[in-house]
Amino acid sequence: MTANPISIQKTKNPKNRPSADSLGFGRYFTDHMFLASYSTQKGWHNLRITPYEPIPLDPGASVLHYGQALFEGMKAFSHQDGSCVLFRPEFNWARMAEGAERLCMIAPPKEVFIEGIKELIKVDRDWIPSEKGCSLYIRPTLIGSESFLGVRPAEEYLFFTILSPVASYYGEGTKAVKIWVEEEYLRAAPGGLGATKAAANYAGSLKAALQAKKNSYSQVLWLDVNRQYIEEVGTMNVFFVFENEIVTPSLEGTILGGGTRNSIITLLKSKNKPVVERRVKLQEVRDAAANGTLKEIFGTGTAAVISPVGELAAKDWKISVNNGEMGPVAASLYEELTGIQNGTVKDTFNWLYKI
Ligand SMILES: Cc1ncc(COP(=O)(O)O)c(C=O)c1O
């Protein structure tokens, strides 16, 4: 337990539970939320679980003006023996702490982050769906809450966590998705916020994503500032299975280092598969598609887990990958990672955190 006690106020009006087939992604929120406040004078204080409700925020709060906002995305799973686990919560805490440093925010200490989420899930435990492919998505969020109009880091922060029972991120499940190569807009530039889960990165990505969706593409593939090297997909890191190696773009400050990416690299290395982190030129992928050495492309992320890419397209070209289907490398990684998460495959790497 944290030295800082968590008060719990339960709702008097529990919501109706949505059926598993209506879940989709992020449509429903559970009955409660966790909050913690920070001020320079008091440090982290007032740790509380309350009914899920709107949060009062001063119109002068720094998040509303200068965008001091960071979030995380992680999942809890229910196991057949009735237990319930978090997947790699320390990874998400560490990423939030790094992002907070870049945005001059104060991150909650690890025990506030993890204990708060753990206690919240205990309260809303019967919201964790047990159907195949479903889980409880966890959205820890940190915002600057001080009301002050000068441009400087806030001296007050609010950390809150909300929960959403979810099914597959894309309506397609593990069916291959079509991805648009974005050659006009840019997600991140060297020296910017690309390596953080800053809300601002997502605001900047919406226009390109909307345009891609209009043309029936699920997400965009972002390129580097010179539009030559591949960075990542909208909400996923990306892997290329070439004939002799499995490659994912190296983390050089403009890409979000995904927890799923890290887990997949670890799984591949444990099997002595030739996985490499390096820069990947878009032209290299197009050439490999043309000469038959590109076997698979897949995205990795908490929401989608592993999402095979069946088509990559830009204004004047298009390539089909593995006949538009999930390939064997993606399929076996999907089975293994979801197996660990669901408790049917041994957790050799100690990724599960029991609640
Ligand atoms: C931009 C971006 N890249 C990559 C990822 C994958 O990260 P993770 O595997 O930690 O979910 C996400 C999802 O959170 C994302 O939003």
Side-chain angles (χ1 to χ4, degrees):
M1 273 302 289
T2 149
N4 231 331
I6 301 173
S7 70
I8 300 179
Q9 184 206 340
K10 289 206 181 163
T11 182
K12 293 192 174 69
N13 301 302
K15 302 170 188 169
N16 288 329
R17 302 287 189 276
S19 64
D21 57 358
S22 73
L23 287 181
F25 188 88
R27 278 192 211 144
Y28 300 97
F29 295 102
T30 66
D31 283 321
H32 299 89
M33 58 186 181
F34 169 72
L35 303 105
S37 304
Y38 174 90
S39 70
T40 342
Q41 298 80 23
K42 292 188 189 165
W44 284 99
H45 63 283
N46 196 8
L47 277 53
R48 58 214 189 264
I49 288 171
T50 71
Y52 186 99
E53 62 193 2
I55 44 177
L57 199 61
D58 194 289
S62 79
V63 62
L64 302 174
H65 302 271
Y66 311 122
Q68 274 191 299
L70 263 180
F71 66 93
E72 270 304 324
M74 47 198 275
K75 278 178 174 172
F77 301 86
S78 83
H79 285 183
Q80 262 177 353
D81 63 2
S83 64
C84 148
V85 297
L86 292 175
F87 185 71
R88 304 191 69 181
E90 295 196 359
F91 182 96
N92 296 87
W93 169 75
R95 188 166 65 184
M96 175 168 270
E98 277 169 33
E101 202 278 325
R102 174 64 183 85
L103 286 166
C104 300
M105 300 170 79
I106 307 292
K110 185 158 75 177
E111 65 275 13
V112 170
F113 184 97
I114 293 182
E115 288 297 325
I117 290 171
K118 193 170 140 186
E119 292 306 309
L120 175 63
I121 290 180
K122 279 190 194 161
V123 173
D124 276 342
R125 193 195 164 108
D126 58 348
W127 277 87
I128 309 181
S130 51
E131 289 79 3
K132 195 171 169 11
C134 298
S135 56
L136 189 67
Y137 184 80
I138 305 164
R139 173 52 61 86
T141 309
L142 179 67
I143 57 172
S145 53
E146 186 195 2
S147 174
F148 177 81
L149 286 187
V151 181
R152 61 150 171 79
E155 292 181 357
E156 290 168 18
Y157 292 91
L158 180 68
F159 172 68
F160 65 86
T161 297
I162 51 178
L163 307 172
S164 174
V166 297
S168 170
Y169 185 72
Y170 299 109
E172 297 96 327
T174 50
K175 260 177 59 192
V177 292
K178 290 170 33 171
I179 301 288
W180 182 259
V181 179
E182 181 53 54
E183 292 171 311
E184 185 184 355
Y185 298 109
L186 194 65
R187 174 183 176 274
L193 301 178
T196 72
K197 226 163 151 52
N201 286 334
Y202 297 83
S205 76
L206 296 176
K207 191 153 188 172
L210 209 61
Q211 226 158 278
K213 282 220 171 73
K214 264 191 204 149
N215 297 323
S216 311
Y217 288 85
S218 301
Q219 287 199 21
V220 301
L221 180 72
W222 296 107
L223 301 177
D224 77 318
V225 70
N226 298 314
R227 313 300 195 271
Q228 276 195 22
Y229 288 92
I230 289 169
E231 301 230 301
E232 61 185 320
V233 177
T235 59
M236 299 190 291
N237 294 112
V238 65
F239 285 73
F240 300 89
V241 182
F242 295 121
E243 199 156 63
N244 298 318
E245 56 176 4
I246 303 171
V247 181
T248 190
S250 39
L251 304 178
E252 308 201 3
T254 50
I255 299 175
L256 187 77
T260 322
R261 174 188 183 278
N262 181 282
S263 304
I264 291 298
I265 292 172
T266 306
L267 286 177
L268 287 168
K269 282 190 175 160
S270 74
K271 293 176 204 317
N272 294 320
K273 299 276 188 211
V275 60
V276 182
E277 296 173 69
R278 63 165 169 83
R279 301 185 82 196
V280 187
K281 263 197 170 158
L282 178 61
Q283 192 58 47
E284 177 186 355
V285 174
R286 292 184 63 188
D287 290 347
N291 67 27
T293 56
L294 174 68
K295 303 300 178 190
E296 298 178 38
I297 303 179
F298 58 87
T300 64
T302 298
V305 190
I306 286 184
S307 189
V309 177
E311 182 184 314
L312 211 54
K315 261 186 225 100
D316 47 13
W317 58 266
K318 188 187 279 191
I319 55 180
S320 165
V321 189
N322 195 43
N323 296 319
E325 285 170 14
M326 188 173 208
V329 175
S332 86
L333 287 166
Y334 179 84
E335 285 306 315
E336 186 163 7
L337 189 53
T338 54
I340 294 173
Q341 292 173 332
N342 294 317
T344 55
V345 170
K346 193 162 185 279
D347 175 27
T348 342
F349 304 99
N350 269 327
W351 285 336
L352 302 186
Y353 183 94
K354 285 234 175 212
I355 290 182

